Amino acid sequence: MSDNPNNWPLWEVFIQSKRGLEHKHVGSLHAADAEMAIENARDVYTRRQEGNSIWVVEAEHIHASRPEDAESLFDPADDKVYRHPTFYTMPEGAKYI
Amino acid sequence: MTEVKDLEALFQAKIDAEQKIEPKDWMPEKYRKNLVRQVSQHAHSEVVGMLPEGNWITRAPNLRRKAILLAKVQDEAGHGLYLYSACETLGVTRESTIDDLLSGKAKYSSIFNYPTLTWADIGAIGWLVDGAAIMNQVMLTRTSYGPYARAMVRICKEESFHQRQGYEIIAVLSKGTPEQKDMAQDALNRWWWPSLMMFGPHDGESAHTAESMKWKIKRESNDELRQKFIDRTVQQAEVIGLKVPDPDLKWNEERGHYDHGEIDWKEFWNVVEGNGPCNHERMKARIAAHENGRWVREAAVAYASKKARKKQAA
Ligand SMILES: [Fe+2]
Ligand SMILES: [Fe+2]
């Protein structure tokens, strides 16, 4: 972050492309406030009908996991294949399961 | 503690395994610097690139062409933004990146230091300049740095209309009156060589190629990309009855590629060093835009904080 108070903060932009779908991160931009961030996001990220709804979040409010922690966070899921339906043996001939 | 050497080996292993590098990952300082240079230079090119085309928006020959050109130039502004954002994820502020352009410390693509003298130049820019840029950008969708690759995917989706609208302009002119056809040929004559220069020096002379390839920032060399561009574009020129201005251009059956004449590298370096026809004008325009926009940026901040205070008081 720069010390110049006249610099606009950074916002992360999330676009929902169609009703019923999730909002997806598409990029970021600088804007003086949320309203301007939404207007600019409209101009930059939805020029080809990519958008149905826009979320903007000031980048400094996003907390991210650290790459160094990836192993301890995600490895525990590796040996739990029984969480997937394909793990199970179904009796021959059973239908709709 | 993990040694830098181990970290570097881990980093290279990730790259070799085609895994993307993300902003918070450890990366060698030289990788980061190399990317900051390349991505910011790319961003500046998108932004400065609006100037030669902007020159013709008010003089487009009809409303259809005017709407198209406006949309294209607006896209380029967006491309600049995507790339500035990608650059920022490398830990440099937007402000300092732009300062580097305005102070002349950072470069932008030399192609934009050539003037747009006639309407046919707008066709030639879309066809040749965007065409050459696309070659490079399609490669960069597979670059190793995640935010840069994602920006490139978005950009490439938008680029293809840029090239097609340009080729359409040139194709229409080349089927027009003799004067119009001459205009199209003249534009091709002036833009052909500078477009080939866009790919940069020959592989042997390119300062950053070896490292960029090792780190998969670049995936194809300057000469490879240039060859691909020539092979495709020569055919397109033939279709519309224009002649590529290179007497040495010849199909090489054995190589399966066109052989071409030598590029005037003296001209290339001369323009890079600031002595092209429009270097001065382009920088003057960028600096003026930045200075004239200052009060708008400040007013927006003042307005935003006033609104926030009002909201708090309510
Ligand atoms: Fe672009
Ligand atoms: Fe373009």
Side-chain angles (χ1 to χ4, degrees):
Chain A
M1 267 258 117
S2 141
D3 307 327
N4 186 342
N6 282 319
N7 287 335
W8 299 346
L10 184 68
W11 300 77
E12 297 298 334
V13 180
F14 300 79
I15 303 275
Q16 181 190 42
S17 60
K18 250 205 274 178
R19 252 178 187 295
L21 293 181
E22 72 281 39
H23 285 69
K24 241 175 113 177
H25 183 246
V26 293
S28 56
L29 50 78
H30 286 263
D33 61 14
E35 195 186 333
M36 185 196 246
I38 289 174
E39 283 163 5
N40 289 357
R42 194 280 310 262
D43 288 345
V44 186
Y45 293 108
T46 67
R47 289 197 302 280
R48 288 172 175 79
Q49 299 157 297
E50 296 98 331
N52 174 69
S53 158
I54 299 171
W55 288 353
V56 293
V57 182
E58 237 189 292
E60 65 172 16
H61 294 314
I62 292 183
H63 301 270
S65 64
R66 300 182 310 164
E68 310 86 275
D69 296 341
E71 274 178 34
S72 63
L73 286 173
F74 309 118
D75 283 7
D78 287 356
D79 56 1
K80 296 179 180 62
V81 278
Y82 46 85
R83 283 175 174 165
H84 298 276
T86 46
F87 177 74
Y88 299 91
T89 318
M90 292 295 102
E92 191 84 34
K95 285 181 184 171
Y96 308 119
I97 182 156
Chain B
M1 229 184 93
T2 326
E3 300 283 330
V4 170
K5 243 177 121 185
D6 300 338
L7 287 171
E8 239 181 285
L10 280 170
F11 170 83
Q12 189 63 47
K14 251 194 229 167
I15 300 231
D16 294 342
E18 294 296 329
Q19 287 189 30
K20 298 288 180 217
I21 305 302
E22 293 296 337
K24 290 183 171 246
D25 293 343
W26 184 90
M27 59 186 87
E29 186 52 20
K30 271 182 88 182
Y31 175 82
R32 199 185 67 82
K33 277 213 170 116
N34 193 327
L35 267 171
V36 167
R37 182 189 51 78
Q38 179 171 332
V39 178
S40 65
Q41 186 170 318
H42 197 159
H44 299 324
S45 303
E46 301 284 352
V47 171
V48 177
M50 289 189 280
L51 295 170
E53 292 181 299
N55 181 34
W56 279 90
I57 290 175
T58 56
R59 296 178 290 159
N62 57 48
L63 192 56
R64 177 178 180 269
R65 293 289 178 206
K66 186 174 185 160
I68 291 169
L69 186 55
L70 258 176
K72 181 192 188 282
V73 172
Q74 195 187 6
D75 273 356
E76 305 301 2
H79 297 175
L81 177 80
Y82 307 154
L83 289 161
Y84 281 132
S85 295
C87 199
E88 234 173 332
T89 66
L90 291 159
V92 290
T93 64
R94 178 76 54 92
E95 191 186 22
S96 72
T97 307
I98 289 176
D99 283 348
D100 283 350
L101 170 69
L102 301 181
S103 72
K105 195 178 144 202
K107 300 256 179 265
Y108 55 88
S109 176
S110 276
I111 192 76
F112 302 118
N113 290 317
Y114 291 86
T116 40
L117 305 176
T118 72
W119 172 250
D121 289 14
I122 299 305
I125 287 184
W127 176 31
L128 304 172
V129 176
D130 287 78
I134 288 169
M135 287 287 153
N136 191 40
Q137 293 180 150
V138 166
M139 163 192 78
L140 289 171
T141 60
R142 295 183 298 122
T143 192
S144 58
Y145 187 57
Y148 193 24
R150 290 191 286 276
M152 279 302 132
V153 169
R154 184 167 282 281
I155 286 176
C156 283
K157 274 190 203 151
E158 303 187 351
E159 280 295 346
S160 64
F161 112 71
H162 297 183
Q163 191 186 19
R164 290 172 65 109
Q165 64 86 36
Y167 187 51
E168 190 190 73
I169 290 173
I170 288 282
V172 167
L173 287 173
S174 62
K175 275 191 304 194
T177 63
E179 288 84 359
Q180 287 171 325
K181 186 166 182 185
D182 286 350
M183 206 201 257
Q185 181 64 56
D186 170 63
L188 173 58
N189 292 348
R190 283 180 292 109
W191 290 93
W192 175 255
W193 291 105
S195 298
L196 297 191
M197 294 176 198
M198 281 175 72
F199 296 96
H202 284 312
D203 296 346
E205 268 108 75
S206 174
H208 307 283
T209 292
E211 211 152 52
S212 291
M213 297 284 258
K214 183 183 94 183
W215 285 330
K216 298 191 180 171
I217 295 175
K218 286 174 73 161
R219 323 265 330 210
E220 286 166 87
S221 75
N222 296 354
D223 285 328
E224 283 166 348
L225 289 168
R226 183 164 26 236
Q227 183 72 61
K228 241 196 223 175
F229 173 75
I230 293 170
D231 292 346
R232 290 188 192 179
T233 313
V234 169
Q235 191 270 341
Q236 292 160 4
E238 273 165 13
V239 168
I240 54 176
L242 295 184
K243 206 175 159 318
V244 171
D246 177 357
D248 297 323
L249 192 76
K250 220 176 77 214
W251 178 252
N252 185 324
E253 194 67 59
E254 211 174 295
R255 289 202 311 128
H257 294 292
Y258 280 97
D259 291 334
H260 61 92
E262 194 45 270
I263 290 163
D264 181 356
W265 294 110
K266 236 176 75 194
E267 174 182 329
F268 173 77
W269 289 113
N270 197 36
V271 181
V272 170
E273 273 148 34
N275 308 313
C278 300
N279 296 59
H280 183 68
E281 190 184 326
R282 302 292 183 237
M283 284 311 295
K284 221 175 91 184
R286 281 316 309 152
I287 291 167
H290 192 71
E291 288 307 318
N292 295 336
R294 185 181 302 281
W295 73 269
V296 179
R297 294 191 295 277
E298 290 175 4
V301 170
Y303 178 64
S305 56
K306 193 172 132 189
K307 256 197 324 192
R309 271 201 310 276
K310 259 195 183 159
K311 206 176 153 192
Q312 236 172 18

